[in-house]
Amino acid sequence: MAAKATTPAKATTPAKAGAPTGAAAATAGRSAETRRRRLVAAAFLLPALVLLGALVVHPIGYSLYRSVFDRSGDTFVGGGNYGEILHDDSIRTALKNTALWVVLAPTTATALGLIFAVLTERVRWGTAFKLLVFMPMAISMLAAGIIFRLVYDHDPDRGVANAVWVGVHDTFAESSAFPKARPGRDSPLVPAAGADAGGYTTRDPVRAGVPVLLPLVGVAPEDLPSGTRTARAAPAEPGKVTGTAWQDFTRGGGGRTNAVDPSESGLAGIRIEAVRDGRVVDSATARADGTFTLSAKADGARLRLPASNFREAYAGVEWLGPTLVTPAVIGAYVWMWAGFAMVLIGAGLAAVPRELLEAARVDGANEWQVFRRVTVPLLAPLLVVVLVTLVINVMKIFDLVFVIAPGSVQDDANVLALQLYRTSFGTDADPGLGSAIAVLLLVLVLPVMLYNIRRLRKEGAR
């Protein structure tokens, strides 16, 4: 029986001592590649990290350090500067105004942005409207402050806000044409008392058939009502009280006091009342030449020029006064940032599925219900983004308040960022207290920023 041939086994070469296996070599290669990529990333990030450390981390650290020292920086005061924040009236006003800003400005700007974004979707000229609303964003805060300083000017001839307000007011309650009129020297008129204060009455009762003279001065010729004519002495009429109300002033001088001279003007439209025992028994309005006629009821009464004849012209609202200065500046901010909110919300609105809106309409929802129950909930995450961004922005508002608020009411319009500037710089600067205000501002902004970061991480995880 033949022996079975056997194939000699292939000799194996023993591995070199210390040489990595295939898997280990691959792992080592990946680790080296990862280290290389990290080094490249670090090299690119290093300039940004240096700038971040120099411009953000170091100032924050130094502010914390400086806030525990006194004005000179030589004496350690611990929390003394922070205690002064709670007791300083200006800083407390700044805190209250900052809280008002945080509540009003972001919500108003976001709400207007939402309304504009929704409404402009339904009109042909929506793009043009969006451009106009967004345009203020191209203006610097300084320029916007100068613009609104003029808009809020108290003089209606200069300030747009008061020009509109006065125009609307005078449409319903026209002011008098004789606000500066008053009796002259040795006048038969005397100031009225009691409930009639602000007007004038005759010294003595009047009699029928005896013309009455009611001279006034203090009305500039150019301010007389249109249609005014040269004054004339009223003729006597039996059984009636007649008289003349006129401007007892001759341009260029001359003329007689308490007498109607040829070049003097009547007070057209002035109201005359006959008063007896506190009751108005008759009244009349002066004609273009200043003459008037009252019935026999006026016999024995005193004539009164009521205070309504001399009511001062309405000067409008003191927008930059102590009461309204903060809402006025917030209005300027909303004018600038409503366009920003509108553009962001409009972009989010374009991504809303139209099928959902149409389905709601098919189910019988009206436009208000579609807006409230479908559009707003779908846009809620974006609205939060806009709101949080504006909150962070208003916490450090400075230039609008500094430019718009006059120096006399700047304390009333004060906010934390402005107080930080006023405390840290100038002839009476206190860097220690200023640093404490800066730290307080950082502490107030920090929760909003952390919320924003947390929200962004959640969005990224989805």
Side-chain angles (χ1 to χ4, degrees):
M1 186 170 164
K4 190 174 182 180
T6 59
T7 306
K10 187 177 180 181
T12 56
T13 306
K16 290 185 178 179
T21 62
T27 301
R30 284 196 297 269
S31 299
E33 180 64 20
T34 301
R35 283 195 299 272
R36 188 184 68 80
R37 289 182 177 179
R38 287 177 178 174
L39 287 174
V40 171
F44 279 103
L45 287 173
L46 186 60
L49 293 174
V50 171
L51 286 175
L52 188 67
L55 300 179
V56 178
V57 178
H58 175 264
I60 291 175
Y62 183 75
S63 295
L64 285 167
Y65 167 80
R66 189 66 180 82
S67 68
V68 295
F69 286 85
D70 68 349
R71 183 189 303 264
S72 65
D74 299 328
T75 305
F76 179 80
V77 295
N81 288 323
Y82 296 97
E84 188 171 346
I85 290 176
L86 301 176
H87 297 93
D88 189 286
D89 290 337
S90 296
I91 300 176
R92 284 191 294 181
T93 301
L95 279 168
K96 287 189 289 187
N97 285 340
T98 301
L100 190 64
W101 270 88
V102 169
V103 171
L104 288 182
T107 52
T108 306
T110 304
L112 284 176
L114 175 62
I115 293 170
F116 292 157
V118 171
L119 293 182
T120 51
E121 272 206 328
R122 296 179 169 272
V123 293
R124 292 181 182 176
W125 38 268
T127 304
F129 180 80
K130 286 181 179 180
L131 180 63
L132 288 175
V133 175
F134 187 74
M135 196 177 293
M137 284 296 298
I139 304 174
S140 69
M141 287 279 197
L142 175 63
I146 294 172
I147 291 170
F148 273 86
R149 182 68 179 268
L150 295 174
V151 167
Y152 291 134
D153 195 290
H154 197 168
D155 184 356
D157 293 331
R158 296 177 59 192
V160 175
N162 264 341
V164 174
W165 196 265
V166 169
V168 173
H169 175 275
D170 288 352
T171 300
F172 300 98
E174 189 175 356
S175 58
S176 167
F178 316 107
K180 303 294 183 183
R182 64 188 184 280
R185 178 168 48 89
D186 301 325
S187 174
L189 294 168
V190 294
D196 303 328
Y200 302 99
T201 62
T202 55
R203 294 177 185 271
D204 303 310
V206 297
R207 295 299 174 187
V210 180
V212 183
L213 298 178
L214 302 178
L216 293 172
V217 297
V219 183
E222 60 271 14
D223 292 337
L224 288 169
S226 59
T228 297
R229 298 208 307 261
T230 302
R232 71 179 180 89
E237 295 186 28
K240 294 183 178 180
V241 174
T242 60
T244 304
W246 84 103
Q247 167 81 337
D248 190 17
F249 173 77
T250 301
R251 183 176 288 187
R256 296 166 296 162
T257 303
N258 299 328
V260 181
D261 293 309
S263 61
E264 294 173 346
S265 300
L267 298 178
I270 197 168
R271 182 174 175 79
I272 302 100
E273 297 175 344
V275 181
R276 182 187 291 113
D277 299 327
R279 290 189 309 109
V280 177
V281 295
D282 199 6
S283 63
T285 300
R287 304 180 187 95
D289 58 3
T291 60
F292 62 89
T293 303
L294 295 166
S295 68
K297 296 177 183 178
D299 186 29
R302 294 177 187 270
L303 298 191
R304 179 176 71 189
L305 300 177
S308 58
N309 289 314
F310 313 106
R311 184 172 52 240
E312 292 283 347
Y314 182 62
V317 178
E318 194 175 359
W319 299 105
L320 299 182
T323 305
L324 294 177
V325 62
T326 295
V329 181
I330 290 175
Y333 177 88
V334 170
W335 176 77
M336 289 192 68
W337 287 86
F340 166 82
M342 178 195 67
V343 169
L344 290 186
I345 296 170
L349 195 60
V352 171
R354 300 299 163 193
E355 297 81 5
L356 295 177
L357 304 180
E358 293 304 324
R361 294 187 182 102
V362 169
D363 287 342
N366 57 35
E367 291 303 319
W368 168 245
Q369 291 172 325
V370 170
F371 173 76
R372 187 165 60 92
R373 297 182 178 276
V374 180
T375 305
V376 172
L378 289 174
L379 291 175
L382 182 60
L383 294 177
V384 172
V385 172
V386 175
L387 196 62
V388 170
T389 303
L390 293 180
V391 166
I392 295 173
N393 186 266
V394 299
M395 290 287 283
K396 42 186 189 168
I397 194 72
F398 161 77
D399 25 20
L400 271 183
V401 182
F402 184 73
V403 175
I404 295 177
S408 57
V409 297
Q410 211 164 77
D411 285 339
D412 300 287
N414 201 11
V415 290
L416 276 178
L418 178 59
Q419 183 62 35
L420 168 61
Y421 169 78
R422 294 169 67 183
T423 303
S424 302
F425 303 98
T427 54
D428 194 31
D430 187 344
L433 182 58
S435 298
I437 297 173
V439 172
L440 172 63
L441 193 57
L442 174 65
V443 169
L444 293 176
V445 172
L446 207 55
V448 184
M449 295 178 64
L450 292 175
Y451 171 80
N452 210 20
I453 293 171
R454 185 178 177 183
R455 183 192 54 76
L456 289 173
R457 284 180 176 173
K458 285 184 177 180
E459 290 291 328
R462 291 178 188 176

